[in-house]
């Protein structure tokens, strides 16, 4: 299937239409941004690595009953996905305090949370993706009551599946961000799941194996992304 028009160019991906209205092609770039675009850079081969990791995790989730937009891998940097309409919502699930939660609540990074925390953010670059709750989601008309409930339950199930999977691979799933889209009236998990959108810590050493290496100038960024790829049994 060939790419037609570019419908969207984001920080890390481009989305193209295809001759079939049912599908989009998603292309993963090496560009990296942080702090709402204030920090910019590239991570060598990130696009290839994130394409593979996302494909693998979407398949893992599908196997466990989660409906996603993923159809198949097309090339090193491209995957075929269902033509979803993305909801302007970022769903963050946290198992351990880190990043903005640690800062906001004055918790030491690494503090185990007594139960997973789910946060909703309004996806809006100009506003810096402000945190909202499900009343805002309904008031803004982003989703209805049943849909929000479905999104929250699905996100917590995704957390359980991914957490159980990664701990077997010696990796702690600290937190992650999900996006959902509507396709044919159905809510599907969409976007990507990768070291760009998750915090992964090595279970033995505590080493950060995700985008925090880029955000915080910790070095060995590409190596960290490759390490996650290798833990899921894949190579570049
Ligand atoms: N996250 C994203 N995109 C965003 C904001 C956060 O993928 O625009 C992910 C981070 O990678 C982290 C989690 O895994 O959501 C929580 O981020 P933070 O709120 O602690 O910065």
């Amino acid at each position: 299937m060939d790419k037609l028009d570019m419908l969207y160019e984001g920080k890390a991906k481009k989305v193209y239409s295809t001759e079939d209205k049912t599908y989009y092609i998603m292309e993963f770039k090496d560009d990296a941004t942080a702090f709402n675009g204030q920090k910019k850079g590239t991570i060598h081969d990130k696009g290839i690595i994130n394409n593979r990791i996302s494909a693998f995790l979407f398949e893992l989730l599908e196997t466990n009953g989660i409906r996603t937009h993923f159809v198949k891998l097309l090339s090193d940097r491209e995957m075929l996905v269902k033509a979803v309409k993305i909801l302007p919502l970022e769903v963050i699930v946290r198992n351990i305090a880190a990043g903005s939660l640690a800062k906001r609540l004055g918790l030491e990074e690494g503090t185990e949370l007594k139960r997973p925390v789910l946060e909703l953010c309004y996806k809006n670059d100009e506003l810096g993706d402000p945190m909202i709750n499900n009343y805002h989601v309904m008031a803004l008309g982003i989703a209805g009551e049943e849909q929000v409930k479905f999104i929250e339950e699905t996100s917590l199930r995704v957390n359980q599946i991914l957490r159980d999977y990664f701990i077997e691979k010696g990796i702690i799933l600290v937190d992650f961000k999900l996006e959902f889209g509507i396709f044919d009236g159905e809510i599907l998990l969409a976007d990507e799941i990768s070291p760009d959108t998750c915090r992964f810590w090595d279970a033995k050493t505590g080493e950060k194996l995700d985008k925090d290496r880029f955000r915080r100038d910790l070095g060995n960024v590409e190596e960290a992304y490759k390490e996650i790829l290798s833990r899921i049994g894949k190579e570049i």
Side-chain angles (χ1 to χ4, degrees), residues 125-154:
D125 281 341
E126 269 169 45
L127 300 175
D129 301 337
M131 199 195 290
I132 54 176
N133 63 29
N134 40 23
Y135 288 88
H136 297 99
V137 175
M138 291 183 267
L140 293 174
I142 297 171
E145 193 164 359
E146 284 301 310
Q147 290 178 315
V148 186
K149 197 168 156 225
F150 175 81
I151 288 169
E152 291 183 340
E153 281 171 7
T154 303

Side-chain angles (χ1 to χ4, degrees), residues 11 90-94 98-102 104 119 121 129 174-179 194-199 211-212 215:
K11 295 160 196 156
E90 297 194 341
V91 184
I92 293 172
V93 182
R94 304 175 184 271
S100 70
L101 180 81
R104 185 155 29 90
E119 294 170 356
C121 295
D129 301 337
V174 174
D175 57 32
F176 58 93
K177 184 262 305 178
L178 299 177
E179 292 185 29
S194 71
D196 269 7
T197 62
C198 303
R199 284 197 174 92
K211 196 171 163 187
D212 272 349
R215 294 187 188 103

Side-chain angles (χ1 to χ4, degrees), residues 74 107 193 207 227:
L74 293 176
L107 295 170
I193 309 175
E207 192 187 359
E227 180 62 25

Side-chain angles (χ1 to χ4, degrees), residues 2-235:
D2 293 324
K3 293 189 273 201
L4 293 180
D5 301 320
M6 189 170 77
L7 303 174
Y8 164 86
E9 178 162 16
K11 295 160 196 156
K13 294 185 296 294
K14 292 180 189 170
V15 177
Y16 295 89
S17 61
T18 67
E19 57 265 40
D20 185 336
K21 285 201 175 346
T22 322
Y23 301 113
Y24 290 155
I25 291 174
M26 209 159 77
E27 185 186 318
F28 287 73
K29 306 191 287 183
D30 287 350
D31 297 345
T33 63
F35 313 117
N36 202 17
Q38 286 170 44
K39 182 180 168 97
K40 288 195 174 78
T42 54
I43 301 169
H44 185 64
D45 285 343
K46 174 170 84 77
I48 301 174
I49 298 170
N50 282 359
N51 189 29
R52 295 219 177 129
I53 294 174
S54 284
F56 176 83
L57 295 177
F58 281 135
E59 278 178 344
L60 174 78
L61 292 169
E62 287 274 0
T63 309
N64 284 278
I66 306 285
R67 305 267 292 142
T68 80
H69 71 158
F70 178 72
V71 180
K72 62 177 178 178
L73 274 175
L74 293 176
S75 70
D76 267 0
R77 289 175 183 276
E78 294 164 322
M79 61 167 67
L80 189 69
V81 297
K82 289 190 180 142
V84 295
K85 186 170 189 301
I86 292 282
L87 299 175
L89 203 60
E90 297 194 341
V91 184
I92 293 172
V93 182
R94 304 175 184 271
N95 298 304
I96 291 177
S100 70
L101 180 81
K103 203 170 166 191
R104 185 155 29 90
L105 300 187
L107 295 170
E108 193 180 336
E109 189 155 87
T111 307
E112 189 109 21
L113 299 165
K114 293 201 192 317
R115 50 174 285 174
V117 167
L118 187 142
E119 294 170 356
L120 300 169
C121 295
Y122 179 38
K123 208 169 127 75
N124 183 313
D125 281 341
E126 269 169 45
L127 300 175
D129 301 337
M131 199 195 290
I132 54 176
N133 63 29
N134 40 23
Y135 288 88
H136 297 99
V137 175
M138 291 183 267
L140 293 174
I142 297 171
E145 193 164 359
E146 284 301 310
Q147 290 178 315
V148 186
K149 197 168 156 225
F150 175 81
I151 288 169
E152 291 183 340
E153 281 171 7
T154 303
S155 301
L156 293 171
R157 274 176 62 212
V158 167
N159 182 43
Q160 201 59 56
I161 297 162
L162 294 184
R163 214 177 155 174
D164 290 350
Y165 173 77
F166 276 108
I167 203 64
E168 290 285 312
K169 308 290 170 193
I171 291 165
I172 296 169
L173 178 64
V174 174
D175 57 32
F176 58 93
K177 184 262 305 178
L178 299 177
E179 292 185 29
F180 291 84
I182 309 267
F183 177 78
D184 217 3
E186 190 185 5
I187 298 180
L188 301 179
L189 181 60
D191 195 54
E192 65 174 291
I193 309 175
S194 71
D196 269 7
T197 62
C198 303
R199 284 197 174 92
F200 294 122
W201 293 353
D202 184 278
K204 274 210 192 96
T205 65
E207 192 187 359
K208 297 186 195 314
L209 298 171
D210 56 60
K211 196 171 163 187
D212 272 349
R213 300 206 73 84
F214 168 77
R215 294 187 188 103
R216 304 180 189 185
D217 294 321
L218 300 175
N220 295 331
V221 186
E222 187 194 335
E223 288 76 8
Y225 280 63
K226 274 197 188 142
E227 180 62 25
I228 296 296
L229 190 65
S230 114
R231 297 281 181 105
I232 66 167
K234 311 259 172 212
E235 273 175 41

